[in-house]
Amino acid sequence: MTVTVVGIGGSLRADSQSERALHVALSGAEEAGAKTIAVTGTDLVLPFYDPAVPERPESARRLIELLREADGVVLVSPGYHGSLSGLVKNALDYVQDLSGDPHPFLDGRAVGCVTSAMGWQAAVSTLTALRSIVHALRGWPTPLGVPLNTAEVRFEADGTCSDQRAYDSLRLVGRQVAEFALGEVGHHRLH
């Protein structure tokens, strides 16, 4: 049985620190047996979410369809002024389009939450905000959430990290999402 974990995050900067962190977390999900798909950078450039406008551009339809089919999700947001980036928040607003589904929003799915900021205060407050949003979307935040202080932790283009504990924590978040999905999908398929 294969599960799919969708990773959403990063910034508009190609190959940003938050995008690199997302790929490390997704590698943990892959290690646990999940197929992963990353939606990052310019893939997240969507019109401001407007529930009164039913037409969606192709990029928004793709995001919603990926989330609809996802067994688990990993979210990574940079911390801007103590909270999520507008890019990530707007993408999460589109989850409203799943409200009429049999499993609305992110219902029944584990969601790994990771944040990155140039300091602990913004990293931690952004993680708290991200976990609150996941609760509001009926998702199950993984037991481990990871705030990254990018003044102390650096991710390289080759996937390595300057801090082994941060690297291991990210991989654990990805594994937790995949392992929950494997258990939940198996449970739902049996019943």
Side-chain angles (χ1 to χ4, degrees):
M1 167 174 36
T2 301
V3 298
T4 301
V5 173
V6 173
I8 297 173
S11 70
L12 289 176
R13 276 191 342 246
D15 204 28
S16 66
Q17 289 293 294
S18 54
E19 184 176 329
R20 290 177 182 180
L22 174 65
H23 289 293
V24 172
L26 290 177
S27 72
E30 291 168 359
E31 179 182 277
K35 171 187 160 194
T36 64
I37 300 168
V39 183
T40 63
T42 57
D43 292 335
L44 295 174
V45 177
L46 306 168
F48 286 120
Y49 176 75
D50 183 349
V53 177
E55 298 82 27
R56 301 286 181 240
E58 176 56 34
S59 55
R61 288 193 308 270
R62 178 181 181 267
L63 173 66
I64 293 306
E65 198 52 42
L66 286 172
L67 288 172
R68 179 174 280 127
E69 300 299 321
D71 300 302
V73 180
V74 174
L75 301 173
V76 180
S77 179
Y80 294 155
H81 308 290
S83 195
L84 278 69
S85 72
L87 189 71
V88 173
K89 177 61 171 82
N90 189 50
L92 291 174
D93 287 345
Y94 276 90
V95 177
Q96 180 65 33
D97 288 359
L98 301 175
S99 65
D101 285 12
H103 292 282
F105 309 108
L106 299 176
D107 182 58
R109 285 168 263 202
V111 181
C113 298
V114 177
T115 59
S116 64
M118 286 292 283
W120 286 114
Q121 181 176 345
V124 172
S125 63
T126 303
L127 180 62
T128 300
L130 188 57
R131 290 173 69 87
S132 292
I133 291 167
V134 170
H135 278 269
L137 293 173
R138 302 183 191 177
W140 294 76
T142 55
L144 180 63
V146 180
L148 298 166
N149 179 349
T150 56
E152 298 176 8
V153 177
R154 179 115 187 112
F155 295 92
E156 301 303 329
D158 66 1
T160 59
C161 179
S162 65
D163 183 310
Q164 189 64 44
R165 285 180 49 201
Y167 181 84
D168 292 343
S169 293
L170 288 170
R171 289 179 56 81
L172 178 56
V173 164
R175 280 196 312 274
Q176 286 179 344
V177 170
E179 289 168 357
F180 182 91
L182 283 164
E184 282 300 299
V185 169
H187 174 75
H188 288 301
R189 287 184 182 164
L190 291 173
H191 292 88

